[in-house]
Amino acid sequence: MELVFPERSLILMCAAPGCGKSTFANRHFLSTQVVSSDRCREMVSDDVEDMSVHRETFSLVRHICHLRLSLGKLTVIDSTSLNRSSRASFQKLASQHGFASAVILLDLPLNVCLERNEQRQRQVPPEVIRRFHAYLQDTKRTIREERFDQVYVVSEEELNNVRVTIKR
Ligand code: ATP
Ligand code: MG
């Protein structure tokens, strides 16, 4: 599966927690192109799990994106992006900068997300994975009506067979 993006793109990873967003983003993009909401949460609060600092975290994510887009830099947001209004605000940010907006949705079955979560160091409670997996199903239904220029839905079978090409 080939994913093709113009150089001036803002790309949102979109997936349940613990199912491989960061692994995917870091495998296919430069580490400097990836803006991780977990990393931003840690930077503002010293605690990657502190959900009470959501506003500050996303203020920082947004600010970094704004600066990178102002400099013409391709940017990938490593976050669940399962809230429609949050996606819309990043879509708007992209278009304000004359950037294309794109979504990479990792469409993995619930059992795979739960298994991967169990196997790793920092675990999210399984009920959180279940809840976000349900949001993912809602997102899959609406994402093509949202205003993104490109939407790639990557299945479990395709996940390890993805090639990313940046069109210059
Ligand atoms: P979070 O939402 O908590 O940030 P995440 O979606 O970024 O999680 P990762 O940290 O990338 O998920 O991966 C979660 C676990 O799944 C890790 O243990 C990782 O090694 C494993 N994993 C990620 N991608 C794959 C893959 N393609 N095949 C097999 N295992 C994978
Ligand atoms: Mg991650």
Side-chain angles (χ1 to χ4, degrees):
M1 182 184 196
E2 187 177 25
L3 315 192
V4 185
F5 301 101
E7 221 170 3
R8 291 166 65 84
S9 287
L10 178 64
I11 302 165
L12 274 66
M13 294 303 303
C14 188
C19 75
K21 296 177 300 294
S22 301
T23 304
F24 184 97
N26 290 302
R27 184 178 292 169
H28 296 288
F29 299 94
L30 300 175
S31 63
T32 49
Q33 290 174 325
V34 178
V35 180
S36 153
S37 58
D38 280 345
R39 184 75 186 118
C40 289
R41 186 175 305 109
E42 225 172 356
M43 280 196 270
V44 297
S45 73
D46 298 327
D47 181 0
V48 70
E49 293 180 23
D50 185 354
M51 295 300 159
S52 71
V53 295
H54 182 83
R55 198 173 53 82
E56 292 82 355
T57 300
F58 277 86
S59 170
L60 182 56
V61 169
R62 199 179 173 78
H63 188 58
I64 297 171
C65 289
H66 164 72
L67 295 175
R68 290 187 56 86
L69 270 46
S70 311
L71 296 171
K73 300 290 184 185
L74 182 140
T75 301
V76 180
I77 302 180
D78 174 10
S79 187
T80 57
S81 302
L82 291 174
N83 177 293
R84 186 168 178 164
S85 63
S86 167
R87 285 195 298 276
S89 84
F90 283 115
Q91 193 287 326
K92 195 169 165 199
L93 183 71
S95 64
Q96 283 166 348
H97 285 86
F99 264 55
S101 55
V103 167
I104 302 175
L105 188 150
L106 304 185
D107 186 18
L108 302 189
L110 177 60
N111 66 317
V112 173
C113 301
L114 290 168
E115 277 164 26
R116 288 198 182 157
N117 180 53
E118 246 177 48
Q119 285 158 8
R120 69 183 183 153
Q121 233 176 8
R122 182 172 60 79
Q123 293 181 10
V124 178
E127 59 272 20
V128 173
I129 308 264
R130 286 179 201 282
R131 190 169 73 237
F132 276 81
H133 196 266
Y135 298 154
L136 180 73
Q137 307 315 303
D138 297 339
T139 301
K140 254 164 53 182
R141 277 190 286 276
T142 64
I143 195 75
R144 293 188 195 279
E145 325 160 346
E146 298 177 30
R147 304 175 73 170
F148 293 95
D149 297 298
Q150 287 165 293
V151 174
Y152 289 110
V153 176
V154 179
S155 69
E156 186 189 6
E157 296 72 33
E158 291 163 324
L159 186 61
N160 292 320
N161 252 319
V162 164
R163 190 155 48 96
V164 169
T165 305
I166 310 299
K167 250 189 345 212
R168 287 172 211 286

